[in-house]
Amino acid sequence: LLGIPHLLVAVNKMDLVDWSKEVFEKIVEDYTAFSEKLNVHDITFIPVSALTGDNVVEPSTNMPWYQGETVLRHLETVTIAADRNLVDFRFPVQYVIRPHLDFRGYAGRISSGTIRPGEEVMALPSGMQSTVKEIVTADGNLDEAADQQSVTLTLTDELDISRGDMIVRKNNLPTVDTRFDATLCWMDDEKTLSTVNHYLLQQTTRLVSAHVRELVHCIDVNTLHRDTTKTTMQLNEIGRVQIETSSPLFFDSYDRNRETGGFVLIDPSTNRTVAAGMIRGRTEAYEAPGRPHE
């Protein structure tokens, strides 16, 4: 449900079932059948005994029928490079650096994609366009920067950009909207979800007021059954919601970009983080006639 692309299922306490291959295979069969309801394509099963250390760090001598990797070996070697999004350039602006009149830089961490000097970019939400002049770091200028790098971009034009804005390629734009569908995990043990009160929504460096318009359904994490009768969510419950914000967000779906597709909800009265969410996409049902989206 959280969009984790690689799962490692460590089947523990194998010592209590006499290291039985049949018991392990039955668990693998049952778990595999359950996982077919989820969008997971990479699942690894390892039989272990935490008590004796079998297949945790060293291969087990008690289960010669298992010829796969140990838990530690798998965690150290699992391939995750293919999970990086190097296509969609997203640069949420964290600070505007202007030490003197001759320098204006936009500092932040690249959420996804790559960028080079000379590339044409657009600033959101203004839609103003310019060209990347330099990629500045404390160790010198770069010829290219990629996702998860913290850099300062300078542009050939002095645009009015501030914290919470986003710099993207002009021909590769995120969705810009005030309404979207999301999967929400409720994290507050004191208050339940309210569809009346407003929250603060933090997404990348952007902070806006938000309203949960509708709880579509809650999800039973044991059966994945959808409960459409609930009107609120309690601690650790997961559900699908429709959210509207006071000003536009610049987002991608969570399965495409975890940085721009993820957010948290904050209770403005207590400043507590009450929920974490994953954007599914634009809420088409709320589109007003005659009002095209940006």
Side-chain angles (χ1 to χ4, degrees):
L1 293 175
L2 300 180
I4 297 172
H6 310 282
L7 294 183
L8 167 58
V9 181
V11 182
N12 192 23
K13 303 185 185 299
M14 291 298 298
D15 53 298
L16 297 184
V17 293
D18 296 326
W19 317 102
S20 171
K21 178 181 178 181
E22 289 71 23
V23 171
F24 174 72
E25 290 180 340
K26 182 63 169 62
I27 292 174
V28 170
E29 179 183 349
D30 293 343
Y31 197 100
T32 301
F34 176 78
S35 68
E36 290 177 353
K37 304 175 185 178
L38 304 170
N39 188 27
V40 180
H41 305 290
D42 181 15
I43 305 180
T44 299
F45 297 89
I46 302 179
V48 304
S49 170
L51 178 66
T52 60
D54 285 68
N55 284 336
V56 177
V57 177
E58 300 294 337
S60 172
T61 58
N62 293 306
M63 293 177 283
W65 47 265
Y66 174 76
Q67 299 296 317
E69 296 177 317
T70 64
V71 170
L72 183 61
R73 175 66 177 171
H74 179 78
L75 294 178
E76 291 178 334
T77 58
V78 61
T79 302
I80 60 174
D83 301 328
R84 298 174 62 190
N85 184 337
L86 298 176
V87 176
D88 305 315
F89 176 66
R90 307 286 185 259
F91 185 74
V93 176
Q94 187 168 2
Y95 298 109
V96 178
I97 300 175
R98 193 177 176 103
H100 49 75
L101 294 177
D102 297 328
F103 185 92
R104 182 196 294 263
Y106 309 102
R109 188 182 68 172
I110 301 174
S111 292
S112 62
T114 61
I115 194 67
R116 289 175 174 268
E119 292 198 68
E120 295 181 327
V121 293
M122 176 184 290
L124 298 175
S126 68
M128 295 182 294
Q129 300 181 21
S130 186
T131 302
V132 176
K133 181 180 179 181
E134 295 176 317
I135 304 174
V136 181
T137 72
D139 299 321
N141 293 359
L142 302 178
D143 295 329
E144 183 180 27
D147 68 316
Q148 306 309 309
Q149 284 186 271
S150 295
V151 298
T152 298
L153 300 182
T154 65
L155 306 179
T156 56
D157 305 280
E158 290 196 1
L159 304 184
D160 185 12
I161 299 175
S162 59
R163 175 182 172 86
D165 292 355
M166 184 179 290
I167 299 175
V168 299
R169 284 196 183 90
K170 72 172 189 176
N171 295 322
N172 182 354
L173 304 180
T175 301
V176 180
D177 210 331
T178 59
R179 291 160 291 197
F180 58 87
D181 286 354
T183 300
L184 197 69
C185 179
W186 194 253
M187 302 166 58
D188 193 354
D189 59 355
E190 295 183 2
K191 297 181 180 180
T192 60
L193 170 69
S194 170
T195 55
V196 177
N197 298 334
H198 283 74
Y199 299 96
L200 295 176
L201 187 149
Q202 180 81 57
Q203 179 242 13
T204 63
T205 60
R206 194 164 181 79
L207 183 66
V208 298
S209 177
H211 171 219
V212 180
R213 296 194 55 148
E214 181 182 353
L215 172 59
V216 180
H217 58 249
C218 284
I219 302 172
D220 187 322
V221 296
N222 294 310
T223 65
L224 301 184
H225 174 71
R226 298 177 179 180
D227 186 349
T228 59
T229 64
K230 289 196 172 184
T231 58
T232 188
M233 293 171 61
Q234 299 179 345
L235 178 66
N236 293 333
E237 287 193 320
I238 296 176
R240 181 174 176 178
V241 297
Q242 295 178 340
I243 294 179
E244 182 169 6
T245 57
S246 59
S247 56
L249 290 185
F250 328 121
F251 61 85
D252 303 280
S253 63
Y254 184 81
D255 58 2
R256 183 177 182 88
N257 191 321
R258 295 191 179 196
E259 296 281 343
T260 58
F263 65 92
V264 296
L265 293 183
I266 302 168
D267 186 336
S269 63
T270 62
N271 207 35
R272 288 164 56 94
T273 299
V274 296
M278 296 148 285
I279 297 175
R280 299 168 58 93
R282 172 183 286 159
T283 303
E284 300 292 349
Y286 287 141
E287 183 163 322
R291 181 188 173 190
H293 288 287
E294 298 180 58

